[in-house]
Amino acid sequence: MNTKLKAKSINNNSQSESSTSLPQINVDAAGIDIGAVSHWVSVPEGRDGECIRSFGCFTADLYALADWLQKCGIKTVAMESTGVYWIPVFQILETRGFEVKLVNAHHVKTVPGRKSDVLDCQWLQKLHTYGLLSGSFRPEDQVCALRSYIRQRDNLIRSGSVHIQRMQKALTQMNVQLHRVISDITGLTGMAIIRAIVQGERDPEVLAALKHPSIRSTTTEIAAALTGDYRAEHIFVLQQELYLYEIYRTQIEACDVQIEECLKAFTDKVNVSESPLPRPKRVGKPSTNAPSFDLRTHLYRISGVDFTRIDGIGVLTVQTLLSEIGLDPRRFPSVKHFTSWLGLCPGSQITGGKVKSSKTRHVVNRAANALRMAAQSLSKSPTALGAFYRRTRSRLGPAKAITATAHKLARIFYHIWSTGGEYKDPGANYYEQHYHQQVVKSLKKKAQALGFDLIAQSSVTEMVS
């Protein structure tokens, strides 16, 4: 398809009135305002007859955009966008060798001094010239490919869960209380019974005999739960939902194949044969959504660290974290930068020397959500992290306890990620003792400030006797 490039000449006097007090950091900088239909591009004056041009959204237009930027001698580009319209532009320009930065629109709007007759692309180009823009985090291209597969897998799991709910609803409408006697209707026993019902079996004793030996409920209890009103319309709904659920499971397995192939392409950071992976800390029933291949070994091989040693963090959590943040800890200069990017560190809204609010920022971050889920799983854990969560929950409530524990998990994760160390749980008793010492130290400090001495009860008893 032949696409006609549109060019528009715009008065650029406001851009020429740049302040001479600021040094120009990026002389060869361009600004792009990404749109759904067209992209507006601004380059420094004197690089071409028209310093502002509009390009279409087709692939041929994007290549023409890259050719024009190279013709103008541009080396770095700042772009602003909503949605996912920026991705093809970013990838094409990055492939051409440009330094590309995707900037946050909120950060651009908070910079004062913009005039009403300046286009977005002009303002981006001007701010980028003076080095006032920072790009959003984006991992390396190989990790981005892995991230796409993993995000698609998560979408399939969420879509499949809808059909699980509908299957359970159809069973409930028939008064088949299968979920009362087994914990997971999509497990081996549940799926065997549901498939048998769809195929026409109605005898509760025959259906109960399909239970797995590990099921705690007796055959009699399961048979009583499976005695129901099997109506044809509900069986039809159950059949369709089962069919759709199995389709999603097939697509998840196909996604696992792609993820495994993608992981094999990563460079080894540790030789698994020379430094074998230690035995997992938690040996139990595998998750329904766990992949069919050895994911833990692949993640250990490409990262050089066994993150599953951290309490609460499972192999799927590690997969999500590494696919979102990449494999290079140097992208985050310190643990404070890392937790701030996750949106898990306390805020610092200070006015007049007084802290007005210390709430965490609202950040949409898949890695932070994974850490919050890991923190919530520590509610009954007999570990130091579990003790920290329970004590924080008793003081601040569940929501803040999850955020605080997720923040602690993020700091531990970054430490062993950047140092290559190994996490060792000191135990819940160690945490309780450490907390007791902190309380005693605080009480002694308060007593001294008031002119008193804090004496242990055992010492007082000895003095009296």
Side-chain angles (χ1 to χ4, degrees):
M1 180 183 296
N2 296 327
T3 305
K4 184 178 180 180
L5 301 179
K6 298 180 180 180
K8 187 176 181 180
S9 176
I10 297 179
N11 185 8
N12 200 29
N13 294 331
S14 58
Q15 188 176 8
S16 62
E17 298 174 356
S18 60
S19 175
T20 58
S21 60
L22 291 177
Q24 294 187 356
I25 306 301
N26 302 312
V27 180
D28 302 320
I32 304 178
D33 182 22
I34 303 294
V37 179
S38 61
H39 310 312
W40 287 90
V41 188
S42 174
V43 297
E45 290 184 347
R47 300 299 178 95
D48 193 54
E50 297 172 333
C51 60
I52 298 177
R53 291 184 61 180
S54 175
F55 293 87
C57 62
F58 298 125
T59 305
D61 300 328
L62 301 186
Y63 284 118
L65 188 156
D67 293 337
W68 185 61
L69 291 178
Q70 287 181 336
K71 175 185 174 183
C72 295
I74 299 300
K75 296 180 180 178
T76 178
V77 178
M79 61 175 61
E80 177 188 359
S81 173
T82 57
V84 296
Y85 302 117
W86 60 273
I87 294 180
V89 183
F90 189 101
Q91 293 174 344
I92 289 177
L93 294 181
E94 193 176 46
T95 304
R96 289 290 189 93
F98 294 99
E99 179 192 10
V100 188
K101 291 186 177 182
L102 176 68
V103 300
N104 192 328
H106 176 71
H107 297 166
V108 176
K109 291 180 180 179
T110 54
V111 180
R114 178 174 178 176
K115 298 185 178 181
S116 59
D117 60 342
V118 179
L119 293 178
D120 288 341
C121 60
Q122 290 177 281
W123 186 238
L124 286 171
Q125 190 272 330
K126 185 175 182 179
L127 294 180
H128 193 32
T129 300
Y130 294 116
L132 298 178
L133 299 178
S134 60
S136 301
F137 174 79
R138 177 179 168 88
E140 49 270 21
D141 187 65
Q142 191 177 19
V143 177
C144 288
L146 175 64
R147 184 179 64 180
S148 298
Y149 290 126
I150 293 174
R151 287 183 177 182
Q152 171 64 9
R153 189 181 192 274
D154 292 340
N155 291 334
L156 293 173
I157 291 174
R158 282 194 293 270
S159 300
S161 64
V162 174
H163 301 289
I164 297 176
Q165 295 172 340
R166 292 175 180 171
M167 282 193 294
Q168 184 162 333
K169 179 181 178 181
L171 291 172
T172 303
Q173 288 174 326
M174 295 184 293
N175 201 33
V176 178
Q177 303 293 332
L178 181 60
H179 62 284
R180 302 291 181 185
V181 290
I182 63 175
S183 60
D184 184 11
I185 66 171
T186 59
L188 294 176
T189 300
M191 294 304 294
I193 292 175
I194 291 175
R195 291 191 181 101
I197 292 175
V198 169
Q199 292 173 2
E201 184 60 56
R202 301 291 181 269
D203 189 348
E205 298 295 336
V206 177
L207 294 173
L210 297 174
K211 83 179 190 72
H212 193 270
S214 62
I215 297 295
R216 294 183 180 180
S217 300
T218 63
T219 305
T220 304
E221 293 173 341
I222 296 177
L226 294 175
T227 303
D229 181 19
Y230 292 96
R231 297 177 63 90
E233 62 272 22
H234 299 319
I235 294 293
F236 176 76
V237 173
L238 181 63
Q239 180 182 7
Q240 286 205 325
E241 297 302 328
L242 174 63
Y243 176 73
L244 293 172
Y245 172 73
E246 290 179 336
I247 288 178
Y248 278 106
R249 296 307 305 178
T250 303
Q251 297 304 315
I252 290 172
E253 292 175 0
C255 203
D256 287 340
V257 173
Q258 293 295 325
I259 292 174
E260 186 178 13
E261 293 297 325
C262 187
L263 288 171
K264 289 179 180 179
F266 280 83
T267 305
D268 295 353
K269 285 191 176 181
V270 62
N271 192 334
V272 180
S273 59
E274 296 179 358
S275 300
L277 189 65
R279 295 184 59 184
K281 293 180 63 175
R282 297 168 292 276
V283 180
K285 178 183 176 182
S287 171
T288 306
N289 297 322
S292 56
F293 61 95
D294 189 3
L295 177 60
R296 181 167 172 254
T297 301
H298 279 294
L299 297 177
Y300 171 67
R301 177 182 57 81
I302 66 176
S303 65
V305 179
D306 181 19
F307 292 105
T308 59
R309 308 297 293 179
I310 305 175
D311 298 301
I313 295 185
V315 63
L316 291 177
T317 304
V318 178
Q319 176 183 250
T320 301
L321 291 173
L322 294 182
S323 65
E324 294 294 331
I325 65 179
L327 299 173
D328 187 8
R330 294 173 297 180
R331 297 289 300 273
F332 302 95
S334 67
V335 65
K336 294 182 179 180
H337 290 82
F338 181 60
T339 55
S340 176
W341 178 77
L342 291 171
L344 296 175
C345 64
S348 58
Q349 295 184 12
I350 302 175
T351 302
K354 295 182 180 181
V355 179
K356 295 296 183 181
S357 176
S358 59
K359 293 183 179 180
T360 56
R361 295 183 300 112
H362 177 69
V363 176
V364 180
N365 193 305
R366 293 173 183 259
N369 292 338
L371 289 171
R372 291 180 191 273
M373 294 293 292
Q376 192 173 12
S377 68
L378 293 169
S379 59
K380 298 181 180 179
S381 175
T383 60
L385 289 171
F388 172 80
Y389 171 80
R390 290 187 291 271
R391 184 168 294 280
T392 308
R393 182 182 58 185
S394 65
R395 293 189 299 109
L396 304 175
K400 292 183 178 180
I402 289 174
T403 301
T405 309
H407 179 231
K408 185 175 283 291
L409 285 173
R411 297 182 73 93
I412 295 173
F413 182 92
Y414 181 85
H415 176 72
I416 66 174
W417 183 33
S418 57
T419 61
E422 181 180 351
Y423 175 75
K424 294 182 180 180
D425 175 38
N429 293 332
Y430 170 82
Y431 172 76
E432 294 295 343
Q433 293 174 2
H434 181 66
Y435 178 77
H436 177 74
Q437 292 173 359
Q438 285 183 326
V439 173
V440 171
K441 184 178 178 181
S442 177
L443 290 175
K444 287 182 178 180
K445 187 176 180 180
K446 291 180 180 179
Q448 290 177 358
L450 296 173
F452 296 98
D453 291 330
L454 187 67
I455 303 175
Q457 187 176 4
S458 58
S459 302
V460 175
T461 304
E462 293 176 357
M463 292 173 62
V464 174
S465 61

